[in-house]
Amino acid sequence: DTAVSQTPKYLVTQMGNDKSIKCEQNLGHDTMYWYKQDSKKFLKIMFSYNNKELIINETVPNRFSPKSPDKAHLNLHINSLELGDSAVYFCASSQPPFLAGLHHEQFFGPGTRLTVL
Amino acid sequence: ELKVEQNPLFLSMQEGKNYTIYCNYSTTSDRLYWYRQDPGKSLESLFVLLSNGAVKQEGRLMASLDTKARLSTLHITAAVHDLSATYFCAVDMPLNAGGTSYGKLTFGQGTILTVHP
């Protein structure tokens, strides 16, 4: 069984388009994350939600909007795509990191490779 | 701002040799994670280190954490080709002495390990 899944795996689109990436986890975790990995493999956190509530919102252009319909899903919508948005986007999940005594290891999805032409 | 630096960034090893990857970080934390990433794949959790002096071993890999020196090491013993991958350390900034956080992982740059016959 897939623990953290993302769709699509590959996304090729033109500049200016709007696109969404979906993420689902079946680990029963309350907390989900979006990370961006650039062409140099550098990983940076973008957002985190706990039980549908935003808890981390890094310095990300407001063209990026996360949405969590329930605690098992965290989607990422990107408006007006730019060339610099080309990257691999990873979703992850964990137990709530702000609750002591829990195992807070983050489990990552397979990634979505976004190419903006 | 938390900074995490790995070295070396590139490591070419012969099979059977030993080597160590270093992960230095700039502010106090006792939560450190090591991940492995194969080309085009997701991040696989290797080790979770949650206290000063923590040491964990799995197969040919051993990780340790020295929170006073703000240093973690990943030691490779008798390398084999299957260990070829990119290795990341990631540090979680604690919110307070109770050991909780927001799960905002700051990643090192990654170490690309290539093991040659």
Side-chain angles (χ1 to χ4, degrees):
Chain A
D1 280 345
T2 304
V4 183
S5 59
Q6 293 177 228
T7 54
K9 188 167 174 60
Y10 300 96
L11 187 50
V12 181
T13 188
Q14 300 284 338
M15 270 175 50
N17 284 350
D18 304 337
K19 290 293 178 186
S20 291
I21 305 171
K22 295 186 176 183
C23 178
E24 177 180 359
Q25 54 94 6
N26 62 7
L27 296 167
H29 291 159
D30 284 352
T31 309
M32 297 183 72
Y33 311 81
W34 278 111
Y35 288 86
K36 179 180 179 180
Q37 185 172 44
D38 64 22
S39 58
K40 295 182 179 176
K41 295 199 172 186
F42 185 68
L43 277 148
K44 187 166 169 55
I45 192 165
M46 300 172 70
F47 302 103
S48 171
Y49 269 73
N50 183 73
N51 199 11
K52 303 191 294 178
E53 183 180 340
L54 182 67
I55 56 171
I56 296 175
N57 185 357
E58 284 297 282
T59 310
V60 175
N62 58 15
R63 299 182 294 103
F64 290 78
S65 54
K67 283 191 172 51
S68 182
D70 56 61
K71 67 179 189 179
H73 295 84
L74 179 62
N75 303 324
L76 183 65
H77 188 75
I78 316 169
N79 288 327
S80 303
L81 278 155
E82 299 178 359
L83 293 176
D85 297 333
S86 295
V88 180
Y89 292 84
F90 286 100
C91 176
S93 73
S94 75
Q95 298 278 21
F98 45 82
L99 295 180
L102 294 179
H103 193 54
H104 304 122
E105 183 181 4
Q106 293 184 21
F107 295 87
F108 284 76
T112 295
R113 181 174 293 276
L114 171 64
T115 303
V116 182
L117 303 174
Chain B
E1 182 187 341
L2 174 60
K3 288 189 180 354
V4 182
E5 292 189 351
Q6 288 180 233
N7 74 83
L9 300 184
F10 299 92
L11 180 53
S12 181
M13 296 177 65
Q14 271 192 307
E15 280 190 330
K17 298 292 188 184
N18 305 332
Y19 211 85
T20 300
I21 299 171
Y22 297 89
C23 174
N24 290 273
Y25 54 97
S26 61
T27 58
T28 302
S29 174
D30 55 4
R31 285 194 190 181
L32 191 138
Y33 304 84
W34 283 96
Y35 287 89
R36 168 182 171 147
Q37 186 178 35
D38 292 302
K41 301 291 186 183
S42 183
L43 284 88
E44 174 193 351
S45 178
L46 293 175
F47 299 108
V48 178
L49 302 168
L50 299 177
S51 61
N52 185 40
V55 176
K56 292 203 174 173
Q57 182 160 8
E58 181 74 34
R60 299 173 189 273
L61 300 178
M62 183 172 71
S64 66
L65 178 61
D66 181 343
T67 58
K68 293 178 182 175
R70 298 176 187 168
L71 171 69
S72 180
T73 60
L74 181 66
H75 186 73
I76 303 153
T77 302
V80 292
H81 180 69
D82 285 353
L83 291 179
S84 297
T86 300
Y87 292 84
F88 291 94
C89 63
V91 179
D92 193 0
M93 177 79 80
L95 289 173
N96 51 48
T100 61
S101 78
Y102 283 131
K104 181 182 165 183
L105 295 187
T106 300
F107 280 81
Q109 311 97 308
T111 296
I112 300 175
L113 170 66
T114 307
V115 180
H116 300 283

